[in-house]
Amino acid sequence: MLRSLRRGARTDTAQQTTRATHPVPAATADRTATASRVHAFNRFEIKYLVPEERAEDLRNELRRHMDQDAHSGPSGYPVTSVYYDSPHLTFYWEKIEGLRFRRKLRIRHYGTSDDLGPESMVFVEIKQRVNRVTQKRRVVLPYRDALRLCSAEGDEPCGEAAGRERGFLQEVATLVGELDLRPTVTTAYQREAWVGRDADLGLRVTLDHRLRGRDRDFHLSSESLNRLTLPPRLAVLEIKANERVPAWVTDLTARMNLDIVRISKYCQSVQAFGLAPRSVMHAADEVDALLQDPVTSDADDTPNRKGALTP
């Protein structure tokens, strides 16, 4: 029998607005520690847009300094996420307006939908930004339990949970209840990943191709087709470092004439489906010009027997 973790869920608009700019009380420093199935990461993240015709040059350079991620394989691996937000898109606007503290809640699956069933393990994640540092906390749960945890009822997963794990589960349930969170968009892409070696052990680099998503049918194994949310000629390069970005990385991006961009896969999906406009405070920049290509149906992605997206 599942027990509800929901405590005093309220959806008053004024209360939601206040909470949107401040951490939920449950998010105490103690709960950012790694314990049991909860994993925590604090790191700096830098993003670039990479033309696909330059991707092979980039790979060759990365192979000189880094090792391929053990899960990456020759063509990478699929990543699919369902993002939760309030009816007023609280998390979206936190990002667009550049708040020093902002966050997202998502359920993430690595692999195709052929691999996904009620007992398949997925990640429930809270990703937040505090000034320039990205903090990610996540717990691995069976997909069935992840959906229940992030539902309006906030049901606790079955089985025993350690103290900090239980604290994280409570935080997720409280966040869902207080902000009236619900599935808003999905994102999907094919990811290549590399990890640092020797002095760069804290370094991780990812290259994400064919960004796409949908604004309905939020089950991760849905057969619904996705739409491109970024022109297919562009990939997203992310540099993730614990403390510093190695000099060879900055030299590489300079040689390839890559410019740092502030792009959110979640926000791209929200905007692609017209769920919200850009903020009136947003100043146009070179990224906006790159993103002028019309978003079209992702007809090149053929679903497999369960609707999984092909690379």
Side-chain angles (χ1 to χ4, degrees):
M1 189 71 174
L2 299 181
R3 292 184 296 174
S4 178
L5 288 168
R6 187 72 69 243
R7 295 292 184 270
R10 291 170 291 181
T11 58
D12 180 80
T13 301
Q15 291 169 330
Q16 288 181 12
T17 302
T18 299
R19 292 187 183 100
T21 57
H22 298 283
V24 173
T28 62
D30 180 64
R31 287 174 183 159
T32 64
T34 301
S36 186
R37 291 181 295 176
V38 177
H39 299 276
F41 309 86
N42 287 356
R43 62 194 181 192
F44 295 95
E45 294 186 356
I46 306 173
K47 297 179 182 179
Y48 303 84
L49 289 179
V50 179
E52 285 288 355
E53 62 267 22
R54 304 296 307 279
E56 188 57 34
D57 292 338
L58 178 63
R59 291 186 193 99
N60 291 335
E61 289 289 342
L62 292 175
R63 290 176 188 133
R64 293 177 52 202
H65 300 274
M66 306 183 73
D67 296 323
Q68 192 174 51
D69 183 278
H71 304 287
S72 189
S75 61
Y77 52 88
V79 182
T80 308
S81 304
V82 174
Y83 283 84
Y84 287 70
D85 210 333
S86 74
H88 305 287
L89 298 179
T90 298
F91 298 159
Y92 170 83
W93 290 111
E94 287 180 352
K95 165 62 178 177
I96 290 296
E97 307 302 348
L99 296 190
R100 291 182 180 272
F101 176 86
R102 56 183 184 266
R103 61 203 161 184
K104 304 184 188 81
L105 173 67
R106 65 193 179 200
I107 296 178
R108 171 164 286 186
H109 174 59
Y110 296 91
T112 69
S113 61
D114 279 335
D115 306 323
L116 186 66
E119 302 298 325
S120 299
M121 304 308 287
V122 299
F123 291 95
V124 177
E125 300 182 345
I126 293 178
K127 185 176 182 180
Q128 61 192 39
R129 181 77 172 252
V130 181
N131 294 321
R132 296 177 59 244
V133 178
T134 298
Q135 300 175 343
K136 183 167 73 173
R137 289 168 292 138
R138 65 186 188 182
V139 64
V140 60
L141 293 172
Y143 186 35
R144 175 201 61 223
D145 292 349
L147 291 176
R148 289 171 176 168
L149 174 64
C150 297
S151 70
E153 291 73 25
D155 288 330
E156 178 181 0
C158 299
E160 296 296 324
R164 289 188 175 87
E165 180 181 335
R166 185 174 297 280
F168 178 77
L169 299 177
Q170 178 70 67
E171 179 182 352
V172 171
T174 300
L175 195 61
V176 172
E178 291 190 338
L179 294 181
D180 191 20
L181 302 184
R182 71 280 305 276
T184 302
V185 293
T186 68
T187 65
Y189 44 88
Q190 190 76 7
R191 166 164 286 182
E192 298 178 77
W194 295 266
V195 294
R197 64 168 78 109
D198 301 327
D200 298 331
L201 287 180
L203 179 67
R204 179 174 173 83
V205 174
T206 58
L207 187 63
D208 299 332
H209 307 269
R210 297 194 64 78
L211 272 64
R212 49 207 188 267
R214 60 180 181 268
D215 63 346
R216 63 201 69 191
D217 301 328
F218 295 113
H219 197 281
L220 288 173
S221 63
S222 171
E223 296 184 3
S224 297
L225 291 176
N226 288 260
R227 293 174 61 194
L228 291 168
T229 58
L230 192 70
R233 60 184 175 83
L234 295 173
V236 176
L237 174 70
E238 295 188 30
I239 311 296
K240 309 170 187 185
N242 292 341
E243 296 180 357
R244 64 174 181 84
V245 176
W248 68 264
V249 174
T250 55
D251 290 344
L252 170 61
T253 57
R255 290 199 312 272
M256 295 189 67
N257 294 317
L258 302 179
D259 295 321
I260 295 175
V261 295
R262 297 178 179 178
I263 187 170
S264 162
K265 298 181 183 75
Y266 168 62
C267 290
Q268 283 301 121
S269 281
V270 169
Q271 294 167 9
F273 293 102
L275 302 182
R278 278 188 177 269
S279 166
V280 294
M281 297 173 59
H282 174 76
D285 55 24
E286 72 282 357
V287 178
D288 294 313
L290 289 171
L291 303 183
Q292 289 303 309
D293 289 7
V295 177
T296 58
S297 177
D298 199 1
D300 291 338
D301 284 328
T302 304
N304 63 15
R305 62 184 178 85
K306 288 189 177 181
L309 292 168
T310 57

